[in-house]
Amino acid sequence: MSQKADEEGAIPDLARLDLHRQGRAGIPEAVLAEGKSLQQVVTIAVRMAQAVGRALITRLPSGWGDQLRAQLGPELGVDLYGEGRLAVVSRPGHRPAHSGGVVGLLAAGSADIPVAEEARVTAQEMGCEVRHFYDVGVAGIHRLVEPLETLRGDERLGAVIVVAGMEGALPTVVKGLLPLPVIGVPTSVGYGYGGGGTAALMSMLQSCSPGLTVVNIDNGFCAGATAALIANRLAELRDQTAGPPR
Amino acid sequence: MSQKADEEGAIPDLARLDLHRQGRAGIPEAVLAEGKSLQQVVTIAVRMAQAVGRALITRLPSGWGDQLRAQLGPELGVDLYGEGRLAVVSRPGHRPAHSGGVVGLLAAGSADIPVAEEARVTAQEMGCEVRHFYDVGVAGIHRLVEPLETLRGDERLGAVIVVAGMEGALPTVVKGLLPLPVIGVPTSVGYGYGGGGTAALMSMLQSCSPGLTVVNIDNGFCAGATAALIANRLAELRDQTAGPPR
Amino acid sequence: MSQKADEEGAIPDLARLDLHRQGRAGIPEAVLAEGKSLQQVVTIAVRMAQAVGRALITRLPSGWGDQLRAQLGPELGVDLYGEGRLAVVSRPGHRPAHSGGVVGLLAAGSADIPVAEEARVTAQEMGCEVRHFYDVGVAGIHRLVEPLETLRGDERLGAVIVVAGMEGALPTVVKGLLPLPVIGVPTSVGYGYGGGGTAALMSMLQSCSPGLTVVNIDNGFCAGATAALIANRLAELRDQTAGPPR
Amino acid sequence: MSQKADEEGAIPDLARLDLHRQGRAGIPEAVLAEGKSLQQVVTIAVRMAQAVGRALITRLPSGWGDQLRAQLGPELGVDLYGEGRLAVVSRPGHRPAHSGGVVGLLAAGSADIPVAEEARVTAQEMGCEVRHFYDVGVAGIHRLVEPLETLRGDERLGAVIVVAGMEGALPTVVKGLLPLPVIGVPTSVGYGYGGGGTAALMSMLQSCSPGLTVVNIDNGFCAGATAALIANRLAELRDQTAGPPR
Amino acid sequence: MSQKADEEGAIPDLARLDLHRQGRAGIPEAVLAEGKSLQQVVTIAVRMAQAVGRALITRLPSGWGDQLRAQLGPELGVDLYGEGRLAVVSRPGHRPAHSGGVVGLLAAGSADIPVAEEARVTAQEMGCEVRHFYDVGVAGIHRLVEPLETLRGDERLGAVIVVAGMEGALPTVVKGLLPLPVIGVPTSVGYGYGGGGTAALMSMLQSCSPGLTVVNIDNGFCAGATAALIANRLAELRDQTAGPPR
Amino acid sequence: MSQKADEEGAIPDLARLDLHRQGRAGIPEAVLAEGKSLQQVVTIAVRMAQAVGRALITRLPSGWGDQLRAQLGPELGVDLYGEGRLAVVSRPGHRPAHSGGVVGLLAAGSADIPVAEEARVTAQEMGCEVRHFYDVGVAGIHRLVEPLETLRGDERLGAVIVVAGMEGALPTVVKGLLPLPVIGVPTSVGYGYGGGGTAALMSMLQSCSPGLTVVNIDNGFCAGATAALIANRLAELRDQTAGPPR
Amino acid sequence: MSQKADEEGAIPDLARLDLHRQGRAGIPEAVLAEGKSLQQVVTIAVRMAQAVGRALITRLPSGWGDQLRAQLGPELGVDLYGEGRLAVVSRPGHRPAHSGGVVGLLAAGSADIPVAEEARVTAQEMGCEVRHFYDVGVAGIHRLVEPLETLRGDERLGAVIVVAGMEGALPTVVKGLLPLPVIGVPTSVGYGYGGGGTAALMSMLQSCSPGLTVVNIDNGFCAGATAALIANRLAELRDQTAGPPR
Amino acid sequence: MSQKADEEGAIPDLARLDLHRQGRAGIPEAVLAEGKSLQQVVTIAVRMAQAVGRALITRLPSGWGDQLRAQLGPELGVDLYGEGRLAVVSRPGHRPAHSGGVVGLLAAGSADIPVAEEARVTAQEMGCEVRHFYDVGVAGIHRLVEPLETLRGDERLGAVIVVAGMEGALPTVVKGLLPLPVIGVPTSVGYGYGGGGTAALMSMLQSCSPGLTVVNIDNGFCAGATAALIANRLAELRDQTAGPPR
């Protein structure tokens, strides 16, 4: 990493942006809004969008959307994803290129949807198509049949994200039925003993279905990024296979 | 409770047997061997068998079976259930009367079988017939189809016990598919984060399937006793319905 | 489960209602309001009431009652149970049929009453009669004598729910004195070490009274549903015993 | 504390005995054998017995009794209390003076007896008379009636120790019925969630019966010493009241 | 306990006051305001004051004092103790009789004062004189010299309460220097690992100073009541010793 | 799954082998020896090897290798991997086909090698080539330079497994420098607070390097299987790209 | 410590200031504002500034700065450090003397800056020069090169403080590369499992880099004070080496 | 670090010794015997002693001393420190040079001595003189007076190590009385709630005495190494001050 690249990302007394993470690690840096002031988020996002075209902001506090838009100025646009608490700040014309990667996404309950949405938008920002099915938990396991058939039938799928709170059993059941890497995302949905995502995280780590790996509670961003990374590498190979258009 | 009954159960400096628990609470007292010396177990079991005919011993340390038999003397018999670590000491002719109660029993993995057996023998000692299916966990959920159909088809069933370690998801799935009270038994099978039964217990308590209640880790005895209590009350009513034998 | 049934319950981007859970699992689906917006709760409850006649809403945030009523429109009624934080939305004339089931209910302290009420209304919605006694904890154990005598004297009782926070000892004492299945409900009443329901849950799981099973902290709904399921099956048999009216 | 007293207790590279603790804190120092070699225990106990007449050894590993006796030499005697894992090394004629203090002691289950014995011998070593009742737990609460009546009837009682494992509910029930300070001793008896004494300790700390204070898990020594300290101060006053013998 | 006494304390759908706890357990019942509505607190306190003369209310939410006073009506008075969050509702002329009991009280830091005050007022309500010293923690151990000398010099002392948060070391040091029972009260003062009172509670339970017993985090009420119970029994004996007034 | 397939895997009273998991989930079933008797392991492994050619046994207790070999009989061979506690039972000629998949593997310390070996053999059994580097932890971060350069230079790599105990920081550092999915395996190496793998697992889940997913403590098998699943799907595509051999 | 000194620091019913801690322990007492009222903070700070010249206030609630200034009166000044939530109240002309001590300070992420600032100002108040580098975490380890080179090149450095949340790996990496004592400060930055600083604290305690010691979560004050104490003692010796000014 | 240095330390399939850690980090690498086979320990220690003259082995299992000596061969010597479970393997004539550094060391109880000894030998191996005082815990705080006076009087002291289990209060008391950096070492001595070193670690981290930093439970090695690092840097400066010998 050159000294110059480092300097480009430095915002004194606030942050040193890792503008080359995409090249080095295959995943772009994102801006976690939680714990920062609006002004700090704007400063970082603007610098990032100017440098690399787009900036993904996660965990945007509710009600910040309009203020964010107001402070960006005319040369930058913003897309808001309210349910998933995300925003994307971008320079005109900087849309994510379709990578050809395809990711599956299941959420167990209605309350798990915000985390699932964080994963969905993240994977889309990395160029993927996301096929999602929500409220398909294990207490009524018949609801799972159709989504799994659909996913089994799509050969382009690189990985499947399964989001679940409460007892967190869905990823285990899904992985037992699909020949794909499954990434489990426990959510903080739950109560009493094992609440806050503890039971869900434990269940996924204890799972007797090999092929399932896990991210931390509510971390839809990491799940989306990892699934997209896997899917994009497959898609890249597929493109090479397909050869030049005939 | 009369003073006399109390005195009958008193073994000075060791225990005060609750010989009337069956009448008062619907479930006979059992002897937990864990943490007692062989001599103490023998003393208590003999006193209990002499007073009420039979004594169920749980958590018998491996290798104690033969010594137990040797110390009982000729007037008492013993049945050993090695896998479930149980023994039943009884006076000749004192077999548990068939109550007519029927209990279902599922175990998720091979390692859960000892706990399931503890539940099975306990329910049988309380007069029940137990229909059991082992190694039917959620990682290969197709294995569950046939047992559930069998259980749904038996109208006599009073309750279903589901034993599971690791991620403990089986009781949730089962309860979602059966119109019966389900008693979940987490086992200490598991490892790392959530091991020792913690994940399984949490999962069952977090379960989104109402109708599922839970006992403590590895407590097959309590699950068997509760299921039998429910089943026996149903059977008693059925007997009244059936009227006098023809 | 037919494809059609599934479609009937689907609310795109929000939920897939399990309208047939009553038939499949013996307990109707309820709407957990916690974590949902008022609009989402209304949407789901209306769809459910229209499909099956009634919708039980649990954990209704304080102050939502009037707004809920306002948004329902003229063809649906609502019953509010403030202490237990429940509401029932129903089509005219859709009252729960008396099942004949009878459930006992004890609460240890004043602070445990909201959870007890959640259990009470749930069991009533499933057609049961509930006999309840509040503030009968173990620190003044003489207060327990009369309720237990009353419950022992009612042969129709199917199960007893015991709600307790703090040290959670009441279910153990009760189960030792009643020949019925007891369902313990730990509440989040408590403080310091073991607060938030931890001590109560542990105590109930450690209980030396077999016949006691447990639900998660504050889950009055699950306790009420399970007790009603047990009681209703007994009542059904009693009806058959009674034969045709003479 | 004089420099000389300090030197008297110093055993280089091993310990500095607190020979004046009795005078300063009202409770003599004891020797915890756990974690020490037999040789270290002998060295410390001999020095202590020579200095102050008697040495109480707690948590003596099983099987050490005979070796201890063998190593003491002819001028010191030893009393062994196997169940409570204690030993008392003493110079001839050094018996604890009867203080006139009286302590009550209840143990919930058979498995709690070793911890209760540790408390009993400790209080006796401090000169107290101990009135004890074992296996009187809350699952069969009728067994508690007689012991409580006996204790209520003895006006000399200074404090009551209640030893309980599992759900640890006994001290709460007892304190609710006796006008005396109650010291709860949770034991490591238990299993699964809340095992190792955690549930019992939590229950006692959560107790809704004021007047109950607690020591750490299995610490019969501290409970016995505290109860004796309270009882001895009452007895001392009683002696003054009684005036000179007539 | 007579049926009549029970009825006197019953407030339907809210509470069954234990009006005879003073006689049965030596400590009067108090009203925990936390988790109750102002109206409920008033209802219970009024009933209690009318029945037994005084009602101690603990954990009064800040700002309730004036409202409480306003709702009591003219025939009842109220004393407010803001720092300790207590209030005493009383009928005219009903002041606690001086029992002659004396209690010592130390608090480690400024932040521990509210809990210490809860203990102080409780013991005073039970008739005791309380000698207190605040902000005498172990980080500057020289501050402890004078308070300990004062306490050692007062022969009337029945027990010493030591309140401490953070590392909770003060009770251990104090107990090592005083020949009296010490009751440790951990407070929820602290932060990070071991915060919320966990470190303080653990330290007190691990203490190597026998004679120290413990109550739950922030429970000044229980500590004050227990210390007063011990002190009052000593005082009662002293009165008898002193003989009739001359 | 046909009924016949299910029957083929059934071993009465012991297990129902999931012989079709490879086809359904892309990963073959393995035999976890821990918690089973030698006889049970042999029975299951023989059945599995006869049905599908090879059986991977994990967590083989030390010293079982020779007995295993002795009991297999002449028609089955066994390969032992002592450091990784694995064995592979196979029919003659049944070697895993080279899949073309390539997996990277790093272990932080010497004590992490057994878990790394479990991952390595598992991936090899699924046909992969594994490039491994051991003892390259973060306390001497210069040791990491060469392995990372080697891995970055191999375009065939599908995924990288990073095994670490203690503070578990290695996966975070590695993922920050490689454009590949990284699977972190915390090991139970460690001591005191955070020991047993807790700190390592937490660190990996807290990691600020997206693209890192995690398996449970010591689960080298799951990490190896998942990495191989990802690598094999890439290799399959590469084979298609390469076209028919020339 | 003289009686007079003690009296000087006593504020009745609030605090006993430890005005001589600097002389006794090498670190001045500070005022923790958290948990105190503004009035209490002002009272204590004024007394302290009057006695010893300056008073450092930590954890000042946001928004108190102006009120603090307003209440101090004309003879005392105040410096506010908003990001680090500190204030220094001082008498005119009382600036901390430059001790010559030099401290290094690294913070892993932007969110860790408040804690780092608390350490920085504390060390400066003790007379040190602080060389700090922020946002240099291990996910992009190239950012660490330049700061470490700078710190290695400054021979005056006494100690290095490393502040990190999330996985807390930075102190381990830094200590492995610098021949200086490193003080790790875990911050409460983090989420899900291991959040609130737990993972960071564990990682630092598990660290395989000897020479790293740790303070509690978010305790920048203690880290700053300890580092300054070490650095100041080195500087004092350097001054002696340098000999009398020429 | 040169490639050659790295190669020198590499032991294929076992370890990559960090032979240059002394130069890079100021502390030599040590060999943790726990978890390694005797053969592995010998291999690593021999390589290290041959390369840098001496090898410190920690946590040597009891009984390995003689075998270690036997396997070393004639050209290497070994010093055994049984109580502290250490061994030092050295080439003839390779004794640690006296650095001039001085370290203080206190241990609270007899059971903490092994951990204290680990710290003592480690600091001595780094050239320091260690002044130690054992069994000076806070339950008899008068025992602490003399050691503290001795330590305050030695101006050469660089740092003080305080080792304590149980409630872990000693470091707080000591740091409040000494103007030196104090390193607290919690030990795993303790029992019940807070046992295994948890209470001691928490207490030290919660300590209200700034200037105290902490290492993980039982890590005497890290405490000894850090204290020696601080002391040696002071000694180095003192040497420069002293100038050339006269």
Side-chain angles (χ1 to χ4, degrees), chain C residues 9-33:
Chain C
I11 307 177
D13 290 341
L14 178 57
R16 298 180 183 217
L17 301 188
D18 194 356
L19 299 173
H20 301 261
R21 187 177 290 176
Q22 167 74 53
R24 204 179 62 241
I27 296 171
E29 194 173 17
V31 185
L32 176 73

Side-chain angles (χ1 to χ4, degrees), chain B residues 110 134-135 142-143 191 193, chain F residues 14-16 24 216-217 219:
Chain B
S110 300
Y134 292 168
D135 201 19
H142 57 285
R143 296 178 295 190
Y191 70 100
Y193 184 52
Chain F
L14 178 57
R16 301 181 184 217
R24 205 179 63 240
N216 206 346
I217 297 165
N219 199 339

Side-chain angles (χ1 to χ4, degrees), chain A residues 110 134-135 142-143 191 193, chain C residues 14-16 24 201 216 219:
Chain A
S110 299
Y134 293 167
D135 202 20
H142 57 285
R143 296 178 296 190
Y191 70 101
Y193 183 52
Chain C
L14 178 57
R16 298 180 183 217
R24 204 179 62 241
L201 173 58
N216 206 346
N219 199 341

